Amino acid sequence: PDGLFFAWESMRSGRLRLIEKPGQGVMELEGTADLVLEIVSKTSVNKDTVHLRDLYWKAGITEYWLVDVREGQLSFQILQHSPEGYAPTPAVDGWIASKVLGKKFQLQKKTDPLGHPQFLVVWAD
């Protein structure tokens, strides 16, 4: 994934564990993270929205976050694991709640000091 989050309890329970490589330290995670994030690009649309979505659901990942800012699009979804697949979490007043993190999030488009687009995921309690 482009990003992931796990709670310490996931490590303590054995749901997720760190894999060390000799002389390299921790190089891999094995098991199920609590949340994964994918950023959609023009070459990863099918992978991120279909293939990985199915694999992450089968792996039991609680939340799947999708961010898509291609060609001016501004799409942010928090998908919740359900028995039938992932279900989108509805936005309330422009904010999407994460059950895993216990906060509300939204994707905002800003402009950096050089005039380039900048995309930020911001949160509120």
Side-chain angles (χ1 to χ4, degrees):
D2 293 316
L4 66 82
F5 169 84
F6 62 86
W8 291 117
E9 185 52 38
S10 295
M11 291 291 227
R12 287 186 195 102
S13 71
R15 179 178 163 164
L16 186 69
R17 60 189 197 101
L18 302 174
I19 306 298
E20 293 192 40
K21 301 285 183 179
Q24 298 176 11
V26 174
M27 297 298 294
E28 198 175 316
L29 294 170
E30 182 177 270
T32 303
D34 297 296
L35 177 157
V36 294
L37 163 76
E38 291 292 351
I39 300 171
V40 179
S41 69
K42 66 181 181 180
T43 60
S44 73
V45 176
N46 188 60
K47 180 184 83 166
D48 292 338
T49 61
V50 178
H51 184 68
L52 289 177
R53 183 176 176 151
D54 184 55
L55 290 176
Y56 291 152
W57 177 78
K58 287 178 181 173
I61 293 173
T62 305
E63 284 185 358
Y64 184 27
W65 291 28
L66 275 173
V67 174
D68 188 349
V69 296
R70 293 173 296 132
E71 301 175 21
Q73 292 189 81
L74 195 58
S75 172
F76 172 55
Q77 296 180 50
I78 296 179
L79 305 166
Q80 298 290 331
H81 195 279
S82 77
E84 302 82 39
Y86 279 113
T89 305
V92 176
D93 296 327
W95 293 89
I96 305 172
S98 165
K99 292 179 182 177
V100 169
L101 298 177
K103 297 192 180 298
K104 305 180 285 189
F105 294 84
Q106 67 178 203
L107 180 65
Q108 296 180 353
K109 182 178 180 180
K110 306 273 185 183
T111 303
D112 73 15
L114 299 177
H116 302 112
Q118 183 179 39
F119 301 95
L120 305 166
V121 174
V122 296
W123 68 88
D125 290 323

